[in-house]
């Protein structure tokens, strides 16, 4: 799965198991299952990310799914967005130690950085919030016709059905539940894919983005 960057993937797993646990970013019980439940489960998201696009991993935490995705996809430009300083410090260290030049760490909440981050083609997220709330944060960060890919568990279909009205208000045109990672992970990883139209986030967010562009707000915290 990780090809030439397998040594970097091993280093990341070691960092999670050591500093990640000591600093409370990942539970000690996760250590024996870091590869299948975390690194591989996230890396297979790569199957559904288009070539050469910009990605924002919302609520990246200790770097999931953003870091495994970056390790398998050097063609992407990835922003790891995370509000908590303890976590962004860890993320910055990982990015530097692994030499991931195509990854940037930004500290902030998705709803606060709207208009300060360049809109992206793909938003990724895992374990951040229920789909309707997550979409409210993630969809406005997208470019027109972009897509949000949310790694979800068994409740994916149910969450999607419950979120349809909210998604429609946010300008989502298409939704599907995908299963990825055949031959790599068992069970397969479940991804909810939502694709937006011309106005991601709807009218309210379009106005906010336009205002930010007019006033040239470029606040970016590291
Ligand atoms: C349960 S953790 C999941 C971390 C990681 N995605 C994973 O799968 O291990 C949820 C993360 O979302 C972040 N978060 C919560 N609300 C957020 C928001 N509005 N914008 C961006 N990140 C947020 C939290 O700080 C936390 O790191």
């Amino acid at each position: 799965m990780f090809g030439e960057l397998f040594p970097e993937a091993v280093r990341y797993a070691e960092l999670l198991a050591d500093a990640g646990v000591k600093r409370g970013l990942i539970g000690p019980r996760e250590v024996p299952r870091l590869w299948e439940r975390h690194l591989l489960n996230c890396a297979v998201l790569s199957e559904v990310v288009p070539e050469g696009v910009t990605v924002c991993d919302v609520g990246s935490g200790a770097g999931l799914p953003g870091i495994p995705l970056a390790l398998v996809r050097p063609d992407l430009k990835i922003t790891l967005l995370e509000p908590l300083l303890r976590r962004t410090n860890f993320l910055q260290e990982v990015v530097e130690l692994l030499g991931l030049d195509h990854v940037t760490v930004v500290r902030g909440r998705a709803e606060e950085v709207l208009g300060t981050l360049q809109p992206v083609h793909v938003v990724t997220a895992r374990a951040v919030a229920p789909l309707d709330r997550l979409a409210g944060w993630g969809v406005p960060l997208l470019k027109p016709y972009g897509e949000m890919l949310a790694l979800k568990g068994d409740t994916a279909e149910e969450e999607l059905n419950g979120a349809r009205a909210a998604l429609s208000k946010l300008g989502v045109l298409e939704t599907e539940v995908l299963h990825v990672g055949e031959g790599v992970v068992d069970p397969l990883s479940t991804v909810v894919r939502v694709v937006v139209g011309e106005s991601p986030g709807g009218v309210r967010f379009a106005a906010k983005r336009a205002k930010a562009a007019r006033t040239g707000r470029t606040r970016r915290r590291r």
Side-chain angles (χ1 to χ4, degrees):
M1 187 78 216
F2 292 98
E4 278 182 9
L5 291 190
F6 179 60
E8 280 77 5
V10 172
R11 185 80 186 100
Y12 177 51
E14 288 168 354
L15 288 165
L16 284 175
D18 183 11
V21 173
K22 282 186 192 142
R23 298 196 213 166
L25 307 180
I26 195 148
R29 274 196 240 146
E30 298 307 308
V31 173
R33 49 192 191 188
L34 275 179
W35 283 93
E36 63 274 30
R37 271 190 74 145
H38 299 284
L39 274 84
L40 290 169
N41 174 282
C42 289
V44 295
L45 188 60
S46 145
E47 284 177 27
V48 285
V49 178
E51 184 79 26
V53 296
T54 48
V55 176
C56 179
D57 185 29
V58 170
S60 200
L64 298 158
I67 299 278
L69 184 62
L71 287 168
V72 292
R73 294 290 299 276
D75 59 299
L76 304 173
K77 283 216 176 318
I78 304 184
T79 300
L80 307 178
L81 179 65
E82 168 56 49
L84 297 185
L85 181 63
R86 202 158 42 96
R87 295 182 183 178
T88 52
N89 284 343
F90 176 80
L91 291 172
Q92 195 57 52
E93 284 165 35
V94 170
V95 165
E96 281 163 24
L97 281 167
L98 304 186
L100 299 174
D101 297 338
H102 58 311
V103 179
T104 308
V105 178
V106 172
R107 184 170 170 222
R109 303 185 73 82
E111 62 277 33
E112 290 170 0
V113 299
L114 182 66
T116 70
L117 281 187
Q118 285 289 330
V120 291
H121 191 87
V122 172
V123 162
T124 57
R126 187 185 79 157
V128 174
L131 191 63
D132 49 355
R133 201 175 336 140
L134 175 65
W137 294 338
V139 166
L141 300 177
L142 291 170
K143 283 183 181 177
Y145 309 106
E147 55 193 288
M148 185 174 84
L149 300 168
L151 277 164
K152 287 282 175 187
D154 298 340
T155 58
E157 292 278 2
E158 212 178 298
E159 279 194 51
L160 183 53
N161 286 332
R164 287 200 191 281
L167 293 175
S168 163
K169 277 191 201 150
L170 288 168
V172 170
L173 296 185
E174 216 183 286
T175 61
E176 61 184 324
V177 175
L178 304 163
H179 300 281
V180 294
E182 187 79 54
V184 182
V185 283
D186 183 13
L188 299 179
S189 301
T190 305
V191 181
V192 176
R193 175 171 179 257
V194 310
V195 184
V196 293
E198 210 175 336
S199 184
V203 177
R204 190 159 66 90
F205 292 101
K208 194 168 175 185
R209 261 193 305 272
K211 185 174 172 210
R214 271 200 313 278
T215 56
R217 227 176 94 208
T218 53
R219 184 169 57 98
R220 211 176 230 231
R221 285 185 292 176
R222 286 201 165 222

